[in-house]
Amino acid sequence: MTHNIFIYIACMAGVTFLIRVLPLTLIRKEIKNKTVRSFLYYVPYVTLAVMTFPAILSATQSPIAAAVALIAAIALAYFGRGLFFVAVSACVIVFVLELFTNPPLFIVNMFSASICF
């Protein structure tokens, strides 16, 4: 059984096209329902969070370092710090925690060699 890649690409293109065109053709008036409007307002934020959250926890060697950095970033953002400061702070926290929990091999060798002398 052979698979034609162009059939898969055509199906994906068709689904993508339908997802983008159907709302434009089916809904022509302004949406006045408050529930639907608030749902549509938060869709981009929820989509971004759903894509980002698993990556935050799995991008580090230690899930504990990722969780600590996530909590610190949420706290900094809650208290009004800027996006750049929050991102850099989270990166520094992960770097420091992973440095102490999983030190690089050259540091381990450097300290073990100095202890032996």
Side-chain angles (χ1 to χ4, degrees), residues 56-75:
I56 290 171
L57 296 179
S58 65
T60 62
Q61 291 180 354
S62 168
I64 295 171
V68 171
L70 175 65
I71 292 169
I74 290 171

Side-chain angles (χ1 to χ4, degrees), residues 25-39:
T25 57
L26 297 178
I27 304 170
R28 294 187 182 255
K29 295 187 234 176
E30 181 182 352
I31 300 171
K32 297 188 183 197
N33 187 341
K34 281 186 172 184
T35 307
V36 174
R37 286 177 65 95
S38 69
F39 172 77

Side-chain angles (χ1 to χ4, degrees), residues 46-59 66-67 70-71 74:
V46 171
T47 305
L48 181 63
V50 165
M51 291 188 310
T52 307
F53 185 73
I56 290 171
L57 296 179
S58 65
L70 175 65
I71 292 169
I74 290 171

Side-chain angles (χ1 to χ4, degrees), residues 8 13 22 37 40 47-48 50 53 56 65-66 68 71 73 76 79 87 92 99 103-104 110 115-116:
Y8 294 129
L22 280 178
R37 286 177 65 95
L40 292 175
T47 305
L48 181 63
V50 165
F53 185 73
I56 290 171
V68 171
I71 292 169
L76 288 171
F79 289 115
V92 168
L99 188 64
M110 183 175 62
I115 292 173
C116 293

